[in-house]
């Protein structure tokens, strides 16, 4: 059985490598800006990842939600913190966000299971 976390990360890594190998200056700058925006500054990395998660939820970007969920997981965010963040995203985004909420919940469960098995 495939693992949605590994599948997502493998695909993301493969395609990011291809995009960056194309040597497009604008794409490289956008990637760099994204990386730097989520480093610690006046706000810590955990807070920035939670902000990214709520914005991604409202925008209904499943790939973005997965990315920020994993980053939140790596930062030690608790399930309760994630659920509170996702609830705000669902409130702001409306009921159309509920399918994305379901997939986010499933992804978080897989992240937790993966952590327990390591």
């Amino acid at each position: 059985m495939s693992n949605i976390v590994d599948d997502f990360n493998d695909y993301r890594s493969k395609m990011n490598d291809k995009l960056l190998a194309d040597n497009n200056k604008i794409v490289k700058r956008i990637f760099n800006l994204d990386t730097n925006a989520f480093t610690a500054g006046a706000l810590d990395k955990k807070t920035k990842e939670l902000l990214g998660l709520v914005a991604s939820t409202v925008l209904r970007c499943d790939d973005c939600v997965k990315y920020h969920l994993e980053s939140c997981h790596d930062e030690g965010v608790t399930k309760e913190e994630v659920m509170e963040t996702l609830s705000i995203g669902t409130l702001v985004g409306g009921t159309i966000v509920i399918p994305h909420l379901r997939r986010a919940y499933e992804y978080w469960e897989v992240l937790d299971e993966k952590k327990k098995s390591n």
Side-chain angles (χ1 to χ4, degrees):
M1 183 170 143
S2 68
N3 179 303
I4 61 174
V5 172
D6 292 337
D7 292 348
F8 172 73
N9 285 323
D10 291 346
Y11 176 77
R12 183 176 176 277
S13 179
K14 178 180 89 173
M15 293 312 299
N16 282 353
D17 289 348
K18 286 184 177 192
L19 286 166
L20 293 171
D22 203 35
N23 210 24
N24 180 294
K25 182 170 42 172
I26 295 169
V27 170
K28 284 186 171 188
R29 286 182 176 175
I30 290 169
F31 275 50
N32 183 272
L33 179 62
D34 181 67
T35 297
N36 285 309
F38 286 93
T39 61
L43 297 173
D44 62 13
K45 185 165 172 36
K46 175 182 170 180
T47 301
K48 288 184 176 187
E49 289 300 339
L50 289 168
L51 289 168
L53 178 59
V54 78
S56 299
T57 303
V58 172
L59 293 170
R60 302 186 309 267
C61 176
D62 282 337
D63 281 5
C64 302
V65 168
K66 288 176 182 175
Y67 175 82
H68 290 292
L69 281 172
E70 194 160 354
S71 295
C72 284
H73 202 269
D74 292 345
E75 289 299 312
V77 173
T78 66
K79 180 180 179 182
E80 292 77 17
E81 291 170 320
V82 164
M83 289 309 299
E84 202 164 301
T85 302
L86 290 171
S87 69
I88 292 167
T90 304
L91 173 68
V92 173
T95 57
I96 196 167
V97 171
I98 291 172
H100 303 274
L101 175 63
R102 289 183 195 116
R103 288 188 288 274
Y105 194 92
E106 174 188 27
Y107 200 78
W108 187 263
E109 286 183 325
V110 174
L111 287 168
D112 267 350
E113 284 300 316
K114 189 173 179 167
K115 183 178 181 179
K116 290 176 188 173
S117 68
N118 285 339

